[in-house]
Amino acid sequence: MFSKACEYGIRASTYIALKSLEGTRVSLKEIAEKIDSPVAFTAKVLQQLSKNHIVDSVKGASGGFQITKANINQIKLAQIVFAIDGNNVYEGCGLGLKKCNANEPCPVHDKFVQIRSDLKNMLENTSLYDMTIGLEEGLTSLRR
């Protein structure tokens, strides 16, 4: 459902949030390694996230990426998805048909309406802080 850039954006934001809660800025190279993403691709994703005020980029010798603790609680996954993919995840046909709507549905149209609604609800109600909880406890992972 998400583009590869969006998947990396969610993973990178989550990792940066985790390290920011520990009071640490993280480098591009470290982020790419920890989320199992190519460095150049990660740089482009982080540029989009910074431009959309999801992450802060600090230049200099002690620079890196961070997210303020207040923002970690406030930033929802929907904001990250929108910054990278726009509203595409909520639109379009589940089978990729060019013309699919309630009047001319594809075979999975009605099921996808509910799936998209559930997905939107989850994205709008899950904060970056929520994403870090399992990581802190070792219950979840950003790479396999």
Side-chain angles (χ1 to χ4, degrees), residues 60-109:
S62 63
F65 292 91
Q66 66 183 21
I67 303 171
T68 64
K69 289 181 182 179
N71 283 346
I72 292 169
N73 277 320
Q74 294 175 358
I75 295 171
K76 306 295 186 196
L77 293 184
Q79 294 169 262
I80 299 167
V81 171
F82 184 79
I84 305 292
D85 282 350
N87 281 329
N88 292 340
V89 72
Y90 309 120
E91 300 168 357
C93 173
L95 295 179
L97 302 178
K98 291 179 183 171
K99 188 171 185 178
C100 176
N101 56 49
N103 296 329
E104 298 178 72
C106 75
V108 297
H109 180 81

Side-chain angles (χ1 to χ4, degrees), residues 36-80:
D36 199 22
S37 169
V39 173
F41 194 65
T42 304
K44 290 181 181 183
V45 169
L46 290 171
Q47 186 176 37
Q48 280 296 108
L49 294 173
S50 180
K51 181 177 151 186
N52 284 277
H53 310 288
I54 306 293
V55 302
D56 298 320
S57 174
V58 179
K59 306 242 186 269
S62 63
F65 292 91
Q66 66 183 21
I67 303 171
T68 64
K69 289 181 182 179
N71 283 346
I72 292 169
N73 277 320
Q74 294 175 358
I75 295 171
K76 306 295 186 196
L77 293 184
Q79 294 169 262
I80 299 167

